[in-house]
């Protein structure tokens, strides 16, 4: 998937001409997650990959590239799922 996961899912839904409820059920059936949870999980994985590989110029740039609202939103997501902030995560695993 590209870095705009939401757009890809929307295009898939439109290609298959799925109504919202049907699309929601199909995503849960195949992935075990709601579309929103799937997007958040994939985005978090891409964020962690970029953080640990150094594939970013700044947290702000990374947050925009991966469609977070802002860098604060990215920081909160990392803290929520990893229990630490991005800088500490980088220091610990790099």
């Amino acid at each position: 998937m590209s870095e705009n996961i939401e757009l890809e899912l929307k295009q898939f839904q439109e290609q298959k001409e799925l109504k919202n409820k049907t699309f929601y059920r199909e995503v849960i059936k195949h992935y075990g997650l709601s579309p929103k949870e799937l997007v958040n999980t994939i985005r978090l994985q891409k964020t962690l990959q970029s953080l640990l590989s150094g594939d970013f110029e700044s947290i702000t740039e990374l947050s925009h590239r991966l469609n977070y609202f802002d860098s604060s939103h990215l920081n909160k997501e990392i803290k929520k799922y990893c229990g630490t902030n991005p800088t500490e995560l980088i220091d610990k695993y790099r």
Side-chain angles (χ1 to χ4, degrees):
M1 285 192 165
S2 76
E3 291 180 351
N4 195 337
I5 303 147
E6 296 97 331
L7 180 61
E8 284 190 34
L9 284 175
K10 189 68 175 166
Q11 288 171 343
F12 175 78
Q13 181 182 5
E14 290 169 359
Q15 275 180 335
K16 301 293 182 181
E17 299 177 357
L18 299 173
K19 296 189 187 227
N20 285 339
K21 275 190 163 185
T22 304
F23 174 68
Y24 188 88
R25 282 193 304 261
E26 287 297 310
V27 171
I28 288 178
K29 179 178 156 185
H30 285 87
Y31 297 102
L33 301 168
S34 72
K36 183 177 180 176
E37 291 169 329
L38 179 61
V39 166
N40 287 341
T41 299
I42 293 170
R43 184 170 59 182
L44 179 65
Q45 288 174 337
K46 289 181 176 292
T47 302
L48 293 174
Q49 287 172 343
S50 294
L51 285 172
L52 298 178
S53 70
D55 181 29
F56 65 100
E57 293 175 25
S58 67
I59 297 295
T60 302
E61 176 270 327
L62 183 61
S63 67
H64 290 296
R65 179 168 30 117
L66 295 175
N67 297 316
Y68 287 95
F69 184 73
D70 57 17
S71 59
S72 176
H73 183 211
L74 181 147
N75 286 334
K76 286 178 186 172
E77 289 291 301
I78 296 294
K79 181 78 170 175
K80 177 180 175 181
Y81 292 105
C82 300
T84 186
N85 67 45
T87 304
E88 291 171 349
L89 190 69
I90 292 167
D91 291 344
K92 184 174 181 177
Y93 292 105
R94 248 204 206 159

